[in-house]
Amino acid sequence: MRKVVLITGASSGIGLALCKRLLAEDDELHLCLACRNMSKAEAVCAALLASHPTAEVTIVQVDVSNLQSVFRASKELKQRFQRLDCIYLNAGIMPNPQLNIKALFFGLFSRKVIHMFSTAEGLLTQGDKITADGLQEVFETNVFGHFILIRELEPLLCHSDNPSQLIWTSSRSARKSNFSLEDFQHSKGKEPYSSSKYATDLLSVALNRNFNQQGLYSNVACPGTALTNLTYGILPPFIWTLLMPAILLLFSFPQLRFFANAFTLTPYNGTEALVWLFHQKPESLNPLIKYLSATTGFGRNYIMTQKMDLDEDTAEKFYQKLLELEKHIRVTIQKTDNQARLSGSCL
């Protein structure tokens, strides 16, 4: 029986590179591309099938920033599949990133220059907005939409006799200082992306605590700094094109690359840790470790590990807050549906 792998955000960047690498290693997989833009997803699906005709590649439309879309997609997936072997929770946004020029200038002349570039610490702030569901957009897209997707798909994931995996695309920029349990949607802060990735790390730990005995395991990975739509949002593509020769020259020195291995540069390189996790026995992995894609000065990809700066009690408290929010959202949706039915019956 083919393994079934669901990938959110599969039509570009890390998600697309992940699809290509997984099929290159095993074209007997069934990949299900969970995408918002159906025309892009259809083009990707056709290209993947042309390259791997023995594979199965299907599409489900889902926008993780819209809970009605998540519910519809989950219902469709439960009709199609009896189980899911792995979900890559990869879709994410970093809206309207603003580069802090002052921090960049002073960082260039500090001891933390490589750390600054590899994590973007202190360099980027982002704008945020409220979604139709009344939630902060970055939080809903990067965290809560995926949380609801998992909750809805539990019947396909929880099989103690044959474990399933959740693999989150996290980030080295996930920082404890940008997250607060009292403001877990980061409505009062200026770094919602960092906060959402730290929330992802917490959620992964909590999911392991609550679901390992049911055969569901969760891990987080960081693709490093790769040129994708996220990085193109920081600087226009033509600027990156101009900078690329200098970047490649700079990081061609192995001594420097040892300290700057987070610069994976290409989406293919960035998927190293995500692909590696798929081939591991999930029950053998440490849930408190983040698995990092890294690239040497000679272009060799490898995996690094990093103990996450969090504690399990905070992770559990955050998980409970998400359950409370889920309950509130479901009640609100039910009331809206009831009102819509009543209005329809009066016409």
Side-chain angles (χ1 to χ4, degrees):
M1 182 179 292
R2 293 175 186 261
K3 280 191 172 183
V4 181
V5 180
L6 178 71
I7 303 175
T8 69
S11 62
S12 63
I14 295 297
L16 176 55
L18 183 58
C19 292
K20 293 177 178 178
R21 285 196 67 173
L22 288 173
L23 288 181
E25 294 184 7
D26 182 1
D27 60 5
E28 291 299 311
L29 291 175
H30 182 149
L31 291 190
C32 184
L33 317 182
C35 302
R36 180 177 55 183
N37 186 318
M38 287 300 284
S39 60
K40 286 179 65 177
E42 287 166 359
V44 168
C45 180
L48 291 172
L49 285 172
S51 302
H52 305 279
T54 62
E56 279 192 54
V57 183
T58 55
I59 304 169
V60 63
Q61 185 171 25
V62 62
D63 178 356
V64 286
S65 69
N66 183 307
L67 295 182
Q68 291 283 18
S69 174
V70 175
F71 288 128
R72 283 194 298 270
S74 300
K75 182 178 180 181
E76 184 176 339
L77 290 166
K78 284 184 282 189
Q79 291 171 345
R80 285 196 214 172
F81 303 111
Q82 293 184 321
R83 66 167 283 123
L84 292 172
D85 295 280
C86 180
I87 302 182
Y88 280 100
L89 303 145
N90 168 71
I93 59 169
M94 184 196 291
N96 307 310
Q98 302 294 319
L99 189 62
N100 186 329
I101 301 298
K102 183 178 179 181
L104 173 64
F105 178 79
F106 284 107
L108 287 172
F109 301 98
S110 74
R111 295 179 180 178
K112 295 185 177 181
V113 59
I114 293 175
H115 173 79
M116 178 183 71
F117 278 111
S118 61
T119 65
E121 183 172 346
L123 282 184
L124 296 175
T125 60
Q126 301 94 41
D128 205 353
K129 63 182 181 182
I130 304 296
T131 68
D133 297 309
L135 304 173
Q136 295 295 134
E137 184 182 32
V138 176
F139 165 77
E140 181 168 7
T141 305
N142 296 2
V143 185
F144 194 65
H146 284 120
F147 172 72
I148 294 298
L149 183 67
I150 295 165
R151 293 279 291 160
E152 287 292 297
L153 296 178
E154 280 181 27
L156 305 185
L157 292 165
C158 295
H159 300 277
S160 57
D161 58 324
N162 192 5
S164 292
Q165 276 182 294
L166 303 173
I167 301 175
W168 298 81
T169 300
S170 183
S171 173
R172 287 170 171 84
S173 72
R175 292 194 299 281
K176 189 175 184 177
S177 59
N178 283 327
F179 179 84
S180 166
L181 278 176
E182 289 69 40
D183 182 27
F184 58 82
Q185 293 193 47
H186 204 72
S187 60
K188 300 174 184 177
K190 294 183 178 180
E191 295 190 51
Y193 182 79
S194 173
S195 174
S196 73
K197 292 305 178 181
Y198 190 81
T200 291
D201 296 349
L202 288 171
L203 179 53
S204 179
V205 169
L207 288 168
N208 281 304
R209 188 171 181 175
N210 286 275
F211 287 97
N212 279 179
Q213 290 187 345
Q214 299 177 50
L216 179 60
Y217 294 82
S218 180
N219 291 98
V220 293
C222 173
T225 304
L227 297 184
T228 66
N229 290 336
L230 283 182
T231 47
Y232 288 145
I234 302 168
L235 293 173
F238 79 93
I239 296 293
W240 285 110
T241 301
L242 293 174
L243 290 175
M244 188 52 63
I247 292 173
L248 292 174
L249 178 63
L250 183 63
F251 295 122
S252 64
F253 295 97
Q255 298 91 338
L256 181 58
R257 206 69 168 92
F258 177 80
F259 297 102
N261 44 36
F263 287 85
T264 50
L265 298 181
T266 70
Y268 179 94
N269 294 345
T271 62
E272 187 72 15
L274 292 107
V275 172
W276 180 85
L277 282 169
F278 178 69
H279 294 300
Q280 309 310 305
K281 291 184 177 179
E283 61 271 27
S284 70
L285 298 167
N286 187 337
L288 300 177
I289 291 293
K290 182 177 293 183
Y291 296 87
L292 315 175
S293 297
T295 306
T296 70
F298 300 105
R300 183 180 66 83
N301 296 322
Y302 64 104
I303 312 299
M304 294 178 62
T305 59
Q306 179 185 79
K307 191 176 187 306
M308 292 188 282
D309 182 21
L310 51 75
D311 64 85
E312 295 185 63
D313 286 342
T314 302
E316 184 61 28
K317 289 176 183 176
F318 176 55
Y319 180 69
Q320 294 302 320
K321 284 182 176 289
L322 291 183
L323 291 176
E324 291 170 10
L325 179 58
E326 177 193 359
K327 183 178 179 180
H328 170 74
I329 290 289
R330 289 184 186 275
V331 169
T332 302
I333 289 175
Q334 186 63 51
K335 285 181 179 178
T336 302
D337 289 345
N338 289 341
Q339 290 172 354
R341 281 195 291 269
L342 285 172
S343 298
S345 64
C346 293
L347 294 177

